[in-house]
Amino acid sequence: MIQTLEWTEHGVRFIDQTKLPTEETYVTCTTYQEVADVIRNMVVRGAPALGVAAGMGIALGVQNSKAESAGDLKRELDQICDVIGKTRPTAVNLFWAIRRMQQKFEILRVRPVEQIKQALVEEAKRMHAEDIAANQAMGSHGAALMPASGGVLTHCNAGALATAGYGTALGVIRAAVEQGKKIHVYADETRPFLQGSRLTAWELVKDGIPTTVISDNMSGAMMRQGKIAAVVVGADRIAANGDVANKIGTYTVAVLAKEHGIPFYVAAPISTVDLETPDGSKIPIEQRNPAEVTTIAGKVMTPEGVQIENPAFDVTPAKLVTAIVTERGIARAPYEKSLADLVRDFANVNSC
Ligand code: MRU
């Protein structure tokens, strides 16, 4: 399995996603500030991977601390969480991980400092293992939704590289292929950062899953020609009403799918569901550097003086989403109820 990120004795090791598909290189972070940098610079990206990276960054910061009391360690923990929390605003998994590490600290604070540090490292490693298990569970729930044969369109990269392993949307595709379904993946290239053509195509080709890359403006034509039987994408944040924030361009695909009567599925772990955000209009959308739009592979593509927009995500309204696949099962409209039920089950299981 592709090792997107892992805890090692030398630090947290990431595959450098800015270099793929031409170079497979790794970056090892030894401080939490370095982890914050690799999150900001997209060496690691994808909502669930950002959650695990945040957890491991916090664990690294705490492990490096010279604090001698739980009170001092808590002050450092707050500072570390503040830095990591300011890296990328949309993927709620990052904030879910910060909250989980802080809650773990509160449970542990009566213990000796060295024990607290070790337990926080273990918690981050647990997040990593749980994420892979969640993706495999999502795969087994979602595979039934995939056609026995035919084209499945995906946008951005919601694969092994966007998670601790296996993937959410690509996990559903992988599981369907493992069951013998004859799926041909259509991967939107996903301008401006090209997660589809660089990352999704890279990992699917590695797995031997037939894949065709299309530029983003081709998906409507592919649907009209009958090449797409279903769409499956990931999510960065799902509001309580089922509105889905995902990579910019997802909304366009959902509208096109509706027009062509094609099911539009979202696969995401429960940690991506944010019941505190009532609807998509309240989801913070990250604005990224205009240079991502004005240049391709370092070559300038726009005249000087032109204005640029670069929102990293858009919101697909719940009414366009056929179903949301989670590790706890499949949610369907009305999402206010189905998502709340799944989250409640999740909380109960975790408190056992
Ligand atoms: O900007 P990115 O590459 O972090 O955006 C990633 C996406 O939009 C993914 O589709 C989403 O995080 C789901 S990943 C399983």
Side-chain angles (χ1 to χ4, degrees):
M1 197 188 276
I2 295 161
Q3 280 292 354
T4 305
L5 73 170
E6 64 180 324
W7 183 271
T8 75
E9 57 181 304
H10 307 294
V12 187
R13 183 173 179 263
F14 297 89
I15 191 168
D16 187 344
Q17 301 195 31
T18 64
K19 300 281 189 339
L20 290 171
T22 49
E23 277 174 55
E24 189 176 330
T25 52
Y26 292 81
V27 175
T28 300
C29 297
T30 56
T31 66
Y32 76 88
Q33 292 95 336
E34 286 174 4
V35 173
D37 283 343
V38 299
I39 291 174
R40 249 188 307 267
N41 300 337
M42 310 278 279
V43 165
V44 62
R45 32 70 45 205
L50 292 179
V52 178
M56 288 190 172
I58 293 167
L60 202 53
V62 165
Q63 193 184 48
N64 289 342
S65 164
K66 302 268 181 290
E68 288 179 2
S69 70
D72 286 350
L73 190 59
K74 171 72 174 132
R75 272 182 286 282
E76 277 191 50
L77 175 67
D78 288 345
Q79 154 72 10
I80 294 164
C81 291
D82 189 52
V83 169
I84 290 189
K86 289 195 171 116
T87 51
R88 297 193 71 193
T90 304
V92 75
N93 309 61
L94 190 127
F95 304 96
W96 166 87
I98 290 174
R99 195 185 283 186
R100 178 164 159 174
M101 293 298 271
Q102 279 173 328
Q103 284 171 349
K104 188 73 188 175
F105 176 89
E106 290 309 326
I107 295 167
L108 297 164
R109 72 179 305 153
V110 290
R111 303 240 194 109
V113 169
E114 282 314 310
Q115 269 186 32
I116 300 177
K117 290 181 180 182
Q118 194 47 43
L120 289 175
V121 170
E122 292 309 319
E123 188 70 4
K125 288 189 196 167
R126 204 171 298 125
M127 281 181 192
H128 185 273
E130 284 174 10
D131 186 57
I132 297 172
N135 294 333
Q136 286 165 339
M138 242 175 270
S140 60
H141 293 303
L145 302 174
M146 295 291 101
S149 68
V152 174
L153 180 81
T154 190
H155 189 74
C156 192
N157 171 266
L161 290 167
T163 63
Y166 202 68
T168 58
L170 296 193
V172 167
I173 290 172
R174 283 194 166 96
V177 170
E178 283 160 19
Q179 288 178 4
K181 294 192 170 184
K182 303 272 175 278
I183 289 179
H184 189 109
V185 178
Y186 285 81
D188 278 346
E189 72 173 348
T190 319
R191 272 284 288 155
F193 210 70
L194 305 179
Q195 289 94 331
S197 57
R198 294 190 305 105
L199 309 176
T200 294
W202 181 77
E203 57 174 273
L204 291 180
V205 166
K206 227 174 153 56
D207 271 9
I209 297 176
T211 303
T212 298
V213 170
I214 56 173
S215 62
D216 297 341
N217 49 359
M218 295 175 188
S219 51
M222 295 298 131
M223 289 182 188
R224 190 122 201 256
Q225 289 166 29
K227 290 183 175 166
I228 311 296
V231 176
V232 60
V233 297
D236 281 79
R237 193 184 293 232
I238 302 174
N241 73 341
D243 289 351
V244 173
N246 191 48
K247 180 52 55 193
I248 190 75
T250 303
Y251 168 60
T252 317
V253 174
V255 172
L256 285 167
K258 177 83 176 171
E259 170 66 17
H260 294 87
I262 296 167
F264 179 91
Y265 300 116
V266 173
I270 291 291
S271 54
T272 304
V273 178
D274 178 11
L275 295 186
E276 287 168 23
T277 297
D279 62 67
S281 69
K282 306 287 185 309
I283 298 176
I285 300 295
E286 177 183 8
Q287 303 293 320
R288 290 191 61 86
N289 189 339
E292 290 177 355
V293 174
T294 59
T295 59
I296 297 181
K299 192 169 178 339
V300 176
M301 293 290 163
T302 51
E304 230 171 272
V306 76
Q307 294 180 32
I308 300 295
E309 295 248 17
N310 189 14
F313 304 96
D314 59 25
V315 174
T316 298
K319 67 176 185 191
L320 297 178
V321 178
T322 310
I324 299 175
V325 181
T326 76
E327 70 273 39
R328 303 280 312 156
I330 296 175
R332 291 186 187 265
Y335 291 107
E336 281 86 355
K337 172 157 175 27
S338 56
L339 288 175
D341 286 349
L342 287 177
V343 170
R344 194 173 328 108
D345 288 352
F346 181 73
N348 288 342
V349 166
N350 275 352
S351 62
C352 287

